[in-house]
Structures are given as structure tokens and as C-alpha cells.
Amino acid sequence: MVEKPRSGEGAAESAVPPLGRLPDEHPLRHALNDEVHARPFEPMVAPARISHLAVLTGEQTAGQERAHLARLCAHFQVPPPPDDATQIIIDMGGFLLRWERHTEFSTYGFILEGKFEEAFADPVIRRVPPDWLEAIPGQMIVAIHVAVEARGGPRHGASEAAALLGGNAPAGSLMSSGAAAAWTDFTIGPDGFSRILVQDYEMGPRRTGRRVRRLLELETYRMMALLAFPLARDAGPALTKVGEEISNITTALATGQDSRDDRALLDELTRLAAEVERIGARVAYRLGAAKAYTALVAQRTEELRESRLEGMQTLGEFMNRRFLPAMRTCTSVQQRLDALAARVARTSELLRTRVDVQLEAQNRDLLRSMNRRAMIQLRLQETVEGLSVVAICYYAAGLLGYAAKGLKDTPLGSGLPLSPEVVVGAAIPVIFLLVWFGVRRMRRRLTRDLEKEDA
């Protein structure tokens, strides 16, 4: 905070201390700050005429547009626009050229101030070379002639405004608390241009420029928003068909009358989900853009501050009756897309749950079957184990019998009172018990090792 100098102090003592080195600027600081003041309309002195064009463009056409503007500047022998320009106002000698580049469209304004005999008899755009106009990069979406009549003349009625606009019934209103009036019929004339007539009652140059700009933006944003309407209208039948198929699948799940299995129904739902995503991908960008443009149209209409002219609908009423229903259709399609996506997700979840329950039942039956087989194998194993004990005893007794016979024929065994048959017979129970305990111990040890490995 800088303190005020006290009385009686010298000039050196009262000087404001230096701020020091300012922090480094963000590289976009000036560009972002300029956006607050961007695209102002130059003050316009009535009478004046404007020819306004809006052209759909893409990112790849930026260089082409600037090169095309440079050719026009060369034709009128004026300096070309900078390579990084996004908006320019150039004095071409007989008229002003205003060019602006927006996100997905560019606008060209040809402005001529001065008196004229008839509002739309000699449009400004005739001063531009026809071959240059035909070669403008992009697709034309808006073309408007605007005539601004100076104050002091007689005020037009509905019939006079209709005659000046070509005979169609116009919409019109007082603007800016009665400081001006504007009329348009929202139709395209034989030359491809629509027309707006503005009569200045008590506006200054700046207010005139702002009002004309808002009228041009109103029509431009209206047409940009309406680009979504054909897509939304075409998507309607496809969404209806998808909704009916989802309803059929849901009914089949509820009643269980469909002959197809759950896997086939799940495949069908997957196809429907892909179809909804395909439709959404085709129209989502335009529907989102239409929502933004509709908000801009409403804002520009409100900024006109309209009041009614006797026997004529206002521009806002025209928008409410003709434009907003189309935008509601777009909103409805977006809501239907969201609802269908949610329905597909819920139905798929329901079907997957049913498939999972069936798989769990199958797994349970499989486990029961495996358990039964394991029990059978255990019984067989015990049976084989008993047979193995008998077989081992048989072979062990045979070996013991051979050993006893061999021992009897030796001098050591000749004095024994027992015969080999008696020895073998007496040893069989002992051999059986030893073999039985040995096999059982081995089985327990193997089982314990397997349980340790499983743990």
C-alpha cells in the first residue's frame, strides 16, 4: 500500500517507492484479456447498408481464408491481414470489410455508410468481385442484407415495411425502448439473401452498431442452431425402432415366452447398445452445439429490448413460435438418446444377473456331480486298498513260505519242531496287520501333504 506524503516533506521524500520487477506475464495474458473486448462492432452512422455472410468452415480452412482475404486486399490495393488474425476491419476504399473467425464458422461483413435511394436496390456486396465471392472457402449458411435508415424520415408501417422487404409479411418491433425499429421476414430472396430493415429514431452511432450486430448475430446463431434439426428429425425413427426392440426384449424377460436363450438376448442387447452409441456419436456434437446457440439466440433477443408495433409480431414471438419448437425437438432427441442408453444398460444388467444366476445353478450342479464322483472314487479306492492289502499279504506269505522251506533244509532248521506251512499260517495275521497299518499310514501321510499344499 502506498501512503500519502505528510505536509512539509520534500519532493524526494514524498515520491512513490518503485514497485520493483513485475512478475513474468502469462503468455496468454493479453489474448485472454482481449477476449473481454473482442469482436466489438464499429460505430455506425445511419444511413448505412451491410451485406453479411456466415460460412461454415473447419480448422483446416484458416490458412485458406486468410489467403483468400489477401487476394481481395490485393484487388483493392490495401495491406493484407496478419497471418495470426482472427478478426479484422479493413477499409477497402469504397466500403469496410469486417471478417471474424469463430469456432466452426466465419463471418464476412461488407459495410457502406451514406445515403441510398432504395433500401435493398444496390447492396454493398455488388462492389466485391463475383469470382472472389464464389471462391470463399466453406459452405454458405447465412446471407443477409441490412439497410439502416437515418432518423428524421417518416416512420414505416407494416405495409410499407412489407413492400420494402419484398412483399412478405414481416415480423418487427421497436428496439431499445423505442429508439429504433427493425423488420425482417426471415425468408431468402431470389438473390439468396434475406433482408433486415432498421429505422433509426434516436440512436447514436455506437447504439446503432450494437443493435445491427445483435440482429446479425441473432440470425447467424439461429441458423447455426438449426443445423441440428435435420439430424434430430432423421434420428427419431431409428430411436423409435430401438425403443420398440428394447421393449420386446424386456417383455420376453418378464414373461419368459421368448424361445431364444439368454445368451442370444444378450447379444441382441449388445447390438442395440452399439446402435444407440452410433446414433449418439452422429448427432451428439450438433445437439450440444444447438443447445449453446439456442442460449445465445435467447440472449440476443432479450438484449434487443423489444416492444410491440401495432398489428405485427415481434422478433421474439417469431422465435417462440417457429424456432423454439425445432430446438425442443433437438432437446427431445437428446433426452430420448439418454433414456434409451439407460434402458439398454438396465436391461443388460438384468439379463446379465439372470445369466449369472443360471451359471451359479449350473456350477452348483457341477459341484454336486463332482462331489458324488469323488465319493465313488473314494469308495473304489478303499475297495482297491483292501484288495491291495490282501494281494500284498499273499505275496508276503508266499515269500515267507519259501524262506521257511529253505531254512528247514539247512542244518540250522532241521531241528525245529515246526513245519513251513505252520510258520506261514501263523504269520499271515501278523503280515496282514502290518501291511494294513502301513498302507493306512501312507494314505494319511499323503492326504496330510496334499492338504498342506492346498493351504
Side-chain angles (χ1 to χ4, degrees):
M1 182 177 65
V2 180
E3 297 181 353
K4 295 182 179 180
R6 295 184 295 270
S7 60
E9 293 180 335
E13 299 179 32
S14 62
V16 177
L19 295 176
R21 183 181 181 276
L22 293 174
D24 292 337
E25 288 186 343
H26 190 283
L28 294 178
R29 178 190 174 199
H30 290 286
L32 296 175
N33 183 71
D34 290 343
E35 283 299 317
V36 179
H37 309 284
R39 313 188 193 282
F41 207 87
E42 291 294 309
M44 182 177 298
V45 179
R49 287 166 292 169
I50 305 99
S51 293
H52 173 81
L53 305 176
V55 182
L56 291 175
T57 57
E59 292 295 333
Q60 67 276 9
T61 63
Q64 299 177 14
E65 289 181 276
R66 296 188 184 95
H68 196 62
L69 289 170
R71 286 193 289 271
L72 183 65
C73 292
H75 176 82
F76 288 99
Q77 299 180 354
V78 296
D83 293 337
D84 59 346
T86 58
Q87 56 175 335
I88 58 170
I89 298 178
I90 302 177
D91 188 350
M92 293 295 183
F95 62 93
L96 290 178
L97 167 65
R98 179 180 179 84
W99 171 76
E100 296 180 2
R101 180 170 179 82
H102 298 256
T103 303
E104 55 180 352
F105 67 92
S106 296
T107 59
Y108 299 80
F110 307 93
I111 308 167
L112 178 62
E113 296 179 350
K115 294 182 179 181
F116 51 85
E117 295 297 329
E118 189 175 341
F120 303 105
D122 183 24
V124 188
I125 204 166
R126 289 183 179 177
R127 290 155 178 78
V128 181
D131 56 343
W132 184 89
L133 287 174
E134 294 177 359
I136 290 179
Q139 295 179 309
M140 195 73 63
I141 187 67
V142 176
I144 311 174
H145 292 316
V146 181
V148 184
E149 295 184 344
R151 67 180 66 181
R155 298 194 177 191
H156 298 310
S159 58
E160 295 171 332
L164 290 172
L165 293 172
N168 298 311
S173 62
L174 295 173
M175 299 184 304
S176 301
S177 303
W183 299 268
T184 181
D185 55 6
F186 292 101
T187 59
I188 299 175
D191 59 350
F193 284 77
S194 56
R195 289 164 174 76
I196 299 176
L197 176 64
V198 179
Q199 195 168 26
D200 180 10
Y201 295 154
E202 52 185 43
M203 291 193 303
R206 291 189 178 276
R207 292 178 71 187
T208 302
R210 288 197 299 268
R211 289 298 173 269
V212 170
R213 179 178 182 82
R214 285 167 183 166
L215 288 169
L216 294 175
E217 289 179 341
L218 179 66
E219 182 65 6
T220 301
Y221 293 141
R222 181 178 75 93
M223 295 302 296
M224 292 300 298
L226 285 172
L227 287 175
F229 181 64
L231 293 176
R233 186 172 51 190
D234 294 342
L239 293 179
T240 301
K241 182 179 179 182
V242 171
E244 292 175 351
E245 294 182 5
I246 295 175
S247 298
N248 294 335
I249 293 177
T250 306
T251 303
L253 290 176
T255 59
Q257 296 177 355
D258 200 304
S259 60
R260 295 173 293 178
D261 59 8
D262 290 342
R263 189 174 298 277
L265 290 176
L266 191 57
D267 291 341
E268 184 69 12
L269 272 176
T270 303
R271 183 188 67 81
L272 293 177
E275 178 67 12
V276 171
E277 289 298 323
R278 184 189 68 81
I279 297 173
R282 187 165 62 91
V283 302
Y285 175 78
R286 280 263 60 92
L287 292 179
K291 183 178 180 181
Y293 287 129
T294 302
L296 289 172
V297 169
Q299 181 184 19
R300 297 301 185 269
T301 304
E302 182 181 357
E303 289 172 352
L304 292 177
R305 291 186 292 163
E306 292 184 284
S307 56
R308 183 177 298 279
L309 286 169
E310 186 65 29
M312 190 175 297
Q313 65 175 340
T314 65
L315 302 182
E317 289 175 343
F318 179 88
M319 295 296 175
N320 291 334
R321 294 183 59 187
R322 302 295 184 89
F323 170 70
L324 290 184
M327 294 301 98
R328 292 190 184 100
T329 299
C330 297
T331 303
S332 173
V333 168
Q334 182 63 63
Q335 292 173 348
R336 290 178 64 189
L337 269 172
D338 297 339
L340 282 177
R343 285 180 61 190
V344 170
R346 289 195 301 267
T347 308
S348 299
E349 187 66 24
L350 177 63
L351 188 55
R352 288 192 182 95
T353 301
R354 198 166 88 166
V355 170
D356 291 341
V357 170
Q358 292 179 355
L359 288 176
E360 289 177 0
Q362 293 176 1
N363 292 336
R364 180 191 61 199
D365 295 341
L366 180 60
L367 289 175
R368 286 178 178 175
S369 175
M370 293 176 63
N371 189 30
R372 187 166 54 253
R373 292 180 181 179
M375 293 299 295
I376 294 174
Q377 289 178 356
L378 180 59
R379 296 292 182 269
L380 290 174
Q381 181 180 354
E382 291 175 350
T383 302
V384 172
E385 184 179 311
L387 295 175
S388 300
V389 171
V390 173
I392 294 173
C393 289
Y394 174 78
Y395 287 110
L399 291 174
L400 182 60
Y402 286 120
K405 290 179 181 179
L407 183 62
K408 184 179 181 180
D409 294 336
T410 61
L412 181 61
S414 59
L416 294 176
L418 298 177
S419 65
E421 290 79 6
V422 174
V423 173
V424 172
I428 286 177
V430 178
I431 294 173
F432 182 85
L433 291 174
L434 291 175
V435 172
W436 184 75
F437 278 113
V439 171
R440 186 175 180 181
R441 183 177 180 183
M442 184 182 298
R443 185 182 66 182
R444 287 181 177 179
R445 184 173 181 180
L446 291 175
T447 303
R448 187 170 57 251
D449 293 342
L450 291 174
E451 290 177 351
K452 289 181 180 180
E453 291 178 1
D454 293 339

